[in-house]
Amino acid sequence: MHKIAVVGSGYVGLVTGACLAEFGMEVTCIDRNIAKINGLKNGRIPIYEPGLEQLVKKHFHHKRLHFTTNIKTAVEESEVILIAVGTPTKEDGSADLKSVLQVAEDIAKYINGYKIIVDKSTVPVGTGQKVKQTIRNILSNKNNNTSFDVVSNPEFLREGSAINDFLKPDRIVLGVESKMAEKVMREVYAVPNGHGIPFIVTNLETAEMIKYAANAFLALKITYINEIANLCERVGADVKMIAEGMGMDHRISPKFLQPGPGFGGSCFPKDAKALAKTGRDNSLPLTLVEQTIIANELQKHRMIEKISNNMGDLKGKTLGVLGITFKPETDDMREAPSLVILEALVRKGAYIKVYDPAGEKEGRLRFNHIKDKVVFCQDEYTAIKEVDGILILTEWPQFKKIDLDYIKNQMKGNYFFDFRNIFERSAIEAKGFQYYCVGR
Ligand SMILES: NC(=O)C1=CN([C@@H]2O[C@H](COP(=O)(O)OP(=O)(O)OC[C@H]3O[C@@H](n4cnc5c(N)ncnc54)[C@H](O)[C@@H]3O)[C@@H](O)[C@H]2O)C=CC1
Ligand SMILES: O=C(O)[C@H]1O[C@H](OP(=O)(O)OP(=O)(O)OC[C@H]2O[C@@H](n3ccc(=O)[nH]c3=O)[C@H](O)[C@@H]2O)[C@H](O)[C@@H](O)[C@@H]1O
């Protein structure tokens, strides 16, 4: 059993802390946000993630999971220190490493013996070396020759399925520079190792690049099916069948071939931009990644056009929007397509009624600047009452069960924009709606 510190108690930090405790480690989660830490100490989980609250409470109760703002004690008492802070996009598209390097400095200040410092955050290639140099400079200024290792251990969890993704990953990636570091990290992940989860053990740069290459490829794959979907609408093909036909080829797989209004989330957009920047910084523009970024923005605007081309002048029209989070089973609105789409609809004079099972709190903040045109409702039936059209932007499972006869009678108009292809056209048109989706 190793004593672990996780610096940064956001999505990844919290899931990592709770799951490493589940693996039998003793974990201290640190954050500079005092309110967040106090909330966690009092059982308040600041994010909506299925299963997280239960896992955090279980290990907090068994004193295997601790929360603090005191990084000094946490560093002194831990053998392995994971950096899980944010790496948001800067103006030039690169990842902002301010927080990562700040934590590296804090660790160097309090290091009191051999430590393994692990980059869990998604960081551009070369960051591990920067972390190492930052710590080394501070130690040498103090004539402190304490040894340490830096490890890259990128995370692949998806929001909404984060616990399962962490406990049963497809693989564990370790960028290491010593046998000792590899040995300790294999012990930290002894449980998944025991379940046959494969490890990829490589150098820091390769581990860092695996993360970006994977995320950008997944973003590209989604963008590819979105573009095929747009062409399907012109040539009368069915993108759902195309995805099925493609996906039967095991080299392609059916995963991540669902077209929609564009990808969102805190990572695909930011990581694609960061990788594109790395390409340009090395005089090797990654044209496919750069085009993915452009095409994804275009996809959101294509959705707006689809609405205004079919509903005509939106001035004074009301739309009932079902789902605004970037995907189901999360309250996260970071880079959600709804942010661009709703703003454009309001700009065209539309009024919006919104229902999202988990997105209201964040949504109110994000749409505060247009709050006179956006009304939050407490359920999907209230959100569609008296509207001219329905707009589905997030495929929350409950929306598939909506009572179509009831909503047809409750609505003023009959426009039905299903941008997640939840329904079959025939079923919706049979109820008297004008049905619009993506690629069918
Ligand atoms: N959200 C996700 O699904 C995934 C995120 N990642 C990566 O993990 C990293 C973290 O992402 P999230 O957890 O989503 O971010 P987040 O924004 O939810 O959490 C980051 C936390 O770090 C804290 N923090 C920032 N600077 C700090 C400092 N100097 N000392 C202590 N705490 C500090 C913040 O207060 C915040 O609570 C990013 O690099 C992201 O790309 C990787 C895989 C999945
Ligand atoms: O680095 C990260 O943060 C994470 O980013 C993504 O996970 P996440 O963003 O949580 O969610 P996804 O399920 O990947 O969906 C991302 C976006 O793509 C969209 N998407 C996904 C799949 C698909 O077929 N079509 C599609 O439009 C979703 O609606 C969503 O907006 C990756 O899937 C994770 O492996 C990675 O760890």
Side-chain angles (χ1 to χ4, degrees):
M1 189 273 283
H2 290 284
K3 296 190 88 169
I4 315 267
V6 180
V7 187
S9 302
Y11 251 101
V12 162
L14 267 184
V15 170
T16 299
C19 291
L20 290 181
E22 184 73 5
F23 290 160
M25 303 301 129
E26 183 170 349
V27 186
T28 299
C29 284
I30 300 115
D31 205 290
R32 66 181 176 187
N33 182 323
I34 298 170
K36 185 173 279 192
I37 290 298
N38 288 340
L40 286 162
K41 283 177 173 173
N42 291 294
R44 287 194 308 278
I45 311 299
I47 55 177
Y48 176 106
E49 180 60 46
L52 182 60
E53 179 166 353
Q54 183 188 352
L55 205 58
V56 166
K57 286 185 170 171
K58 169 185 167 187
H59 292 299
F60 185 67
H61 175 72
H62 288 109
K63 302 200 182 329
R64 210 174 5 227
L65 182 59
H66 314 280
F67 299 107
T68 181
T69 56
N70 179 350
I71 190 166
K72 177 177 184 297
T73 311
V75 167
E76 288 167 347
E77 294 175 359
S78 304
E79 303 151 80
V80 180
I81 304 151
L82 283 82
I83 302 176
V85 294
T87 51
T89 305
K90 292 202 300 195
E91 276 291 301
D92 65 0
S94 64
D96 185 343
L97 296 177
K98 197 167 57 278
S99 293
V100 169
L101 297 176
Q102 175 60 57
V103 174
E105 287 175 19
D106 290 345
I107 292 168
K109 263 192 281 187
Y110 307 121
I111 208 166
N112 61 343
Y114 174 69
K115 306 286 177 187
I116 294 176
I117 294 105
V118 181
D119 281 338
K120 194 66 172 158
S121 298
T122 301
V123 291
V125 183
T127 303
Q129 299 303 341
K130 284 182 186 164
V131 167
K132 187 164 62 171
Q133 205 48 55
T134 301
I135 296 172
R136 199 171 273 162
N137 291 346
I138 292 172
L139 291 184
S140 64
N141 290 343
K142 299 193 293 185
N143 296 320
N144 179 337
N145 59 1
T146 303
S147 67
F148 65 94
D149 270 305
V150 172
V151 165
S152 168
N153 173 219
E155 182 48 49
F156 298 91
L157 67 84
R158 291 163 297 167
E159 292 182 15
S161 54
I163 303 292
N164 188 60
D165 289 348
F166 194 103
L167 296 178
K168 300 185 189 103
D170 290 337
R171 74 313 204 178
I172 289 171
V173 173
L174 294 175
V176 295
E177 293 190 323
S178 79
K179 280 292 170 207
M180 168 59 96
E182 180 183 351
K183 174 181 170 295
V184 170
M185 291 308 289
R186 282 185 182 277
E187 288 164 358
V188 168
Y189 288 110
V191 169
N193 194 19
H195 293 152
I197 301 292
F199 281 64
I200 297 218
V201 183
T202 180
N203 65 11
L204 293 178
E205 290 72 17
T206 306
E208 289 163 342
M209 187 61 128
I210 288 172
K211 176 62 189 175
Y212 277 103
N215 265 13
F217 179 76
L218 290 167
L220 184 148
K221 189 176 182 185
I222 294 163
T223 305
Y224 178 79
I225 201 66
N226 283 343
E227 293 205 323
I228 294 293
N230 299 334
L231 182 60
C232 283
E233 293 175 7
R234 299 287 168 87
V235 299
D238 179 341
V239 73
K240 223 166 193 170
M241 297 303 290
I242 291 175
E244 197 178 322
M246 287 172 67
M248 286 171 178
D249 182 327
H250 69 277
R251 295 169 303 172
I252 298 174
S253 116
K255 300 268 174 63
F256 277 59
L257 283 178
Q258 283 77 43
F263 59 77
S266 61
C267 295
F268 279 175
K270 117 177 132 68
D271 293 349
K273 287 175 192 161
L275 183 59
K277 183 72 169 57
T278 301
R280 289 204 168 267
D281 289 349
N282 288 276
S283 312
L284 270 175
L286 299 175
T287 56
L288 292 178
V289 177
E290 296 196 353
Q291 283 307 315
T292 294
I293 296 162
I294 293 165
N296 192 54
E297 287 313 302
L298 278 178
Q299 190 68 3
K300 299 174 198 171
H301 291 284
R302 204 181 293 280
M303 298 300 112
I304 297 157
E305 281 162 22
K306 195 181 288 235
I307 294 166
S308 50
N309 288 349
N310 288 293
M311 285 186 77
D313 185 3
L314 291 176
K315 238 189 233 50
K317 298 265 176 59
T318 304
L319 278 155
V321 176
L322 302 186
I324 51 174
T325 52
F326 85 95
K327 65 182 281 195
E329 303 306 334
T330 183
D331 59 354
D332 203 340
M333 293 277 299
R334 292 180 280 189
E335 299 287 329
S338 64
L339 298 173
V340 169
I341 294 170
L342 266 59
E343 175 133 0
L345 295 172
V346 165
R347 225 184 5 257
K348 289 173 180 288
Y351 288 91
I352 307 288
K353 294 173 75 177
V354 179
Y355 172 68
D356 185 294
E360 178 169 349
K361 185 163 165 265
E362 184 67 13
R364 285 184 181 283
L365 296 173
R366 299 278 186 161
F367 294 120
N368 187 51
H369 63 299
I370 50 173
K371 63 184 175 192
D372 55 328
K373 300 282 177 44
V374 178
V375 172
F376 281 85
C377 302
Q378 82 271 13
D379 61 48
E380 53 269 49
Y381 292 101
T382 314
I384 55 87
K385 200 169 170 52
E386 290 301 307
V387 300
D388 296 290
I390 287 181
L391 169 55
I392 299 176
L393 286 179
T394 312
E395 66 280 23
W396 285 92
Q398 67 196 74
F399 296 156
K400 186 151 179 78
K401 300 178 201 124
I402 200 164
D403 181 335
L404 295 170
D405 293 311
Y406 177 79
I407 62 170
K408 184 69 178 62
N409 294 326
Q410 292 293 310
M411 287 171 60
K412 197 159 66 177
N414 70 341
Y415 293 98
F416 197 116
F417 297 96
D418 173 11
F419 290 167
R420 293 292 183 170
N421 292 354
I422 290 178
F423 293 97
E424 288 301 324
R425 173 182 296 282
S426 54
I428 302 298
E429 289 179 342
K431 302 289 180 186
F433 290 103
Q434 294 181 62
Y435 181 71
Y436 305 93
C437 60
V438 184
R440 307 186 79 196

